[in-house]
Amino acid sequence: DIAAGITAGGVVSVLAGLFLAGRALVPIRLSWEKQQRFVADASHELRTPTAVIHAQTEMLLRHPDRSIEEESPRIALVLQESKRMGKLLDDLLTLARSDSNQLQIHPSALDLASLLGEVTEAFRLLAGIKDIEMTTAVETPLSLWGEEARIRQLMAILLDNALKYTPPSGRIEVAGGYRGHAVYIRVTDNGSGISEEDLPHVFERFYRGDKARTRAEGGTGLGLSIAKWIVEEHGGSIQLVSLPDNGTRVEVLFPRSKRAEP
Ligand code: ADP
């Protein structure tokens, strides 16, 4: 009860914070209705992990005689749900801060070719578990005027999605290079693709496609909203092309900057 009370109290104060942050930014970007929707959706998303943590900790307290070994599946579940809640709160905070213009990009000259190589390498391990082949086709040298942490976050969102929505034995390709006055990054997978009905909505907050909604490990529906914010803050654009059952291609275009190229 105590643990659940603390969790519920924490959630309520975070939501109150989001709500207040929301009130302060009425004229900035989102309409009042959209802000209310955002808070309502956020509360809804936080309900499931909170309920699981509540129920599981209550069970733990009810059986103090049981060993840690016996209870480890329950403890693992609490850990998993609290991690999920932490990720959700991080994402919510990013979006709330971006709405109120409290988050700014701090760009510098980036070696994008190396960055793409590193991020892909980090995901290769995860891909291996699903027997998914990951390839890269990146022009070198390739530079970008951008904020390293945000570009890494962007790539993590795109690769995480590609991995989630590609079945075992699939393929994911990360490509990058110059095209005219732009720097492009492309992530292509041969996974489930996105239906015509879902496609226009995927950048909306909390929107999850049909296939995603029915998945147990499904995300929060905030990934692509954050990706879009990162790209636009860098003066770029993001486009998603998908053919149902033929995979998905996400293409990001950034302005090419002389500041990035020595
Ligand atoms: P989620 O947490 O659900 O992945 P996102 O905002 O990252 O949220 O994506 C929104 C929706 O777009 C997903 O629910 C899914 O339906 C669709 N989507 C995104 N990336 C892909 C992909 N690579 N393949 C298939 N569907 C995708």
Side-chain angles (χ1 to χ4, degrees), residues 177-196:
Y178 294 116
R179 189 187 301 146
H181 296 294
V183 175
Y184 73 86
I185 299 175
R186 208 169 50 219
V187 177
T188 313
D189 66 60
N190 69 344
S192 65
I194 302 173
S195 70
E196 251 178 79

Side-chain angles (χ1 to χ4, degrees), residues 33 37 44 48 57 83 126 129 171 175 177 198 205 234 239:
E33 287 74 28
R37 174 95 245 140
H44 182 78
T48 311
T57 44
K83 273 189 192 161
L126 290 172
I129 297 170
R171 260 180 298 111
D198 288 333
R205 292 174 183 189
H234 281 83
Q239 198 196 16

